[in-house]
Amino acid sequence: MLSRIAESVYWMSRFLERTDNTARLLDINLTHLLEADEAGSEELQWAPLLHIVAGNEVYQRIFPDGAVTGARMIRYMVQEKGNSGSIYAALKGARENARVARDRVSKEMWEALNEFWLQVDGHVTHRLSPERESVFFKHVRAEVARFHGLTVSTMLRGDAFSFYLLGTFLERADMTARILDVKYHRLLPDVAQVGSPLDYYQWGALLKSLSGFEAYRRHYHGGIRPLDVVDLVVFSRHFPRSLHFAVDRMTQAIQEIGTSQVDCAVCRALEGLSALLTARAPEEVVREGLHEFLTDYLDQLSTLHASLQNEYFEAHLGMEQCVI
């Protein structure tokens, strides 16, 4: 398989996952603002999303006065072409990468993605009205879910499918860790407060943003507790958006691709992530510092991405006949 095709499939899936994550964050935030009777400025309600998507620097360039409002954040995260994480930019990136990998993407996948892009391109030409925002975000999430379903049911199994899984779960793990880090510290700025009465809507919004609210209620029966949320979102091997689930799926994908490297940096990065998750219990992580734990996890994810880039995507530049 050509390295440029592998990289295109990887980025196609990362951009699609990013599209879904951005729509999910905005929709949950809007719902939370309607449901929760919470005091606080408009900036306080929206600024955490900038931290989650690591968008402060770009936002400052687009809005030099730095003021954060709901309308600006919707524009920034939906239609801003200068923001590579916006729904518009991410979906455009997914389509362009799918075009490069056209012979590895099924006809059904390509048609669904192309139709999805044309719909979004038409929607974001003008500013979304408040009454259309939630409908639009739900539509985006439904279209990404449809694409994932078509991929599972129509894409030929092999290296391309494994790179698709790598991109999906690396992007998902990155966003899950960022959401948990920002939301956890917003809810519990002081570790000493762990165990104190919690705002049901705040924690519910965190779980809903990860599609984990129903799963949490089925497995934990003592109300919403920080330790149980960490147990589900970080350590569960059965919850599809947990950090551990993502590492397991990426490890399986790399094993199916195989490696000719004697000293495999990608394998070492995955082993490091797995060791980080199996060495400690939720209580220990919270006691020692969840922020530090998640920072370590995100650093190792970044190392994994760099290793993939070096060993699979750039190693054969100019040697397009080389087989991975």
Side-chain angles (χ1 to χ4, degrees), residues 244-259:
H244 210 152
F245 189 95
V247 171
D248 285 349
R249 290 300 178 276
M250 288 191 287
T251 300
Q252 184 180 347
I254 282 296
Q255 289 170 347
E256 290 175 355
I257 293 169
T259 176

Side-chain angles (χ1 to χ4, degrees), residues 173-174 177-178 181 293-303:
D174 181 88
R178 291 180 188 280
D181 192 23
F293 175 86
L294 293 172
T295 299
D296 193 5
Y297 184 91
L298 286 167
D299 287 346
Q300 293 198 41
L301 266 188
S302 180
T303 300

